[in-house]
Amino acid sequence: MVSWNHHVNAAAIGVGIDMNRRELTFRVYHPSDTARNLGVCANFTFSLSDSPELFYKAALTGNNGPGSELSPDELVTEDGFYYPRDASRIFFCRLESTVSGFANDKYGRTPYGEHKAYILGTKGEGVYIGRENPYLDAMVHASRYHIVTDEGLRDEIRRKVIDILKDEKGGLADRIILHVEGDVT
């Protein structure tokens, strides 16, 4: 998901897509750049991609820092919307409603917004990756690492990520593992 306000923010977010109703549903956890941006600007894009590298940038870099996870040359601007150049399919959206709540799980209690958005338009029809991809699956787990304070739970996440990536070698696998080994924040 790409949102904008003070800066362009990319975030890896799971979304329910209902093309019959032209609607997206999704949850954004607080505090986050995405939550702040959606509170100011109702427009955003949601993209599907076959690039694990793009997912890595959205999921495991930035972490609410001052800059964007994607550089200007990695973004396309179209009719006031931003989306990743490497996207296979893009959904141009406008936020319709938000309901606040709290998620409680073994990692703790976290506030969130449950959002519904209208799909204004789409572009592209390319292939995309899902949780069956080991890089993507490992990054979903690794994205929780920096918010968990309990060392036992951090060890559990670390073991899970390393196990998922045990057959993957080099570049991206190494960077994901570094994220959960505490060398990258």
Side-chain angles (χ1 to χ4, degrees):
M1 177 178 290
V2 176
S3 62
W4 48 91
N5 177 24
H6 301 299
H7 71 274
V8 176
N9 179 69
I13 294 178
V15 170
I17 302 169
D18 183 337
M19 287 307 293
N20 291 328
R21 297 178 69 185
R22 301 192 59 79
E23 186 175 270
L24 294 184
T25 54
F26 57 96
R27 185 177 282 184
V28 175
Y29 294 92
H30 299 252
S32 68
D33 285 337
T34 302
R36 280 186 287 280
N37 284 354
L38 291 176
V40 174
C41 180
N43 291 340
F44 66 91
T45 58
F46 177 75
S47 301
L48 301 172
S49 175
D50 65 349
S51 170
E53 187 67 39
L54 178 59
F55 194 88
Y56 173 80
K57 289 176 181 179
L60 299 181
T61 66
N63 292 326
N64 302 320
S68 178
E69 292 78 7
L70 302 176
S71 66
D73 62 318
E74 294 174 297
L75 290 165
V76 174
T77 305
E78 184 175 320
D79 297 327
F81 287 83
Y82 298 88
Y83 61 88
R85 187 171 304 284
D86 290 340
S88 304
R89 185 160 191 206
I90 303 100
F91 297 83
F92 300 88
C93 304
R94 177 170 294 125
L95 192 62
E96 285 186 340
S97 65
T98 302
V99 176
S100 297
F102 286 90
N104 295 298
D105 62 15
K106 66 183 179 180
Y107 300 115
R109 180 178 162 99
T110 305
Y112 66 81
E114 191 76 38
H115 301 284
K116 187 183 295 184
Y118 182 72
I119 300 170
L120 301 167
T122 63
K123 181 177 185 172
E125 291 293 331
V127 297
Y128 55 91
I129 56 176
R131 284 292 287 269
E132 71 281 353
N133 180 291
Y135 292 115
L136 189 75
D137 192 32
M139 286 186 272
V140 168
H141 293 288
S143 68
R144 297 179 179 117
Y145 187 80
H146 75 280
I147 59 172
V148 172
T149 57
D150 179 88
E151 196 54 44
L153 293 174
R154 289 169 68 96
D155 285 341
E156 183 180 315
I157 293 170
R158 186 180 302 114
R159 285 190 303 274
K160 179 77 171 172
V161 167
I162 290 169
D163 183 57
I164 291 168
L165 296 173
K166 68 181 178 278
D167 296 328
E168 308 300 325
K169 304 293 180 231
L172 185 56
D174 291 345
R175 286 184 284 148
I176 297 166
I177 291 170
L178 279 173
H179 186 83
V180 297
E181 287 182 340
D183 297 331
V184 176
T185 58

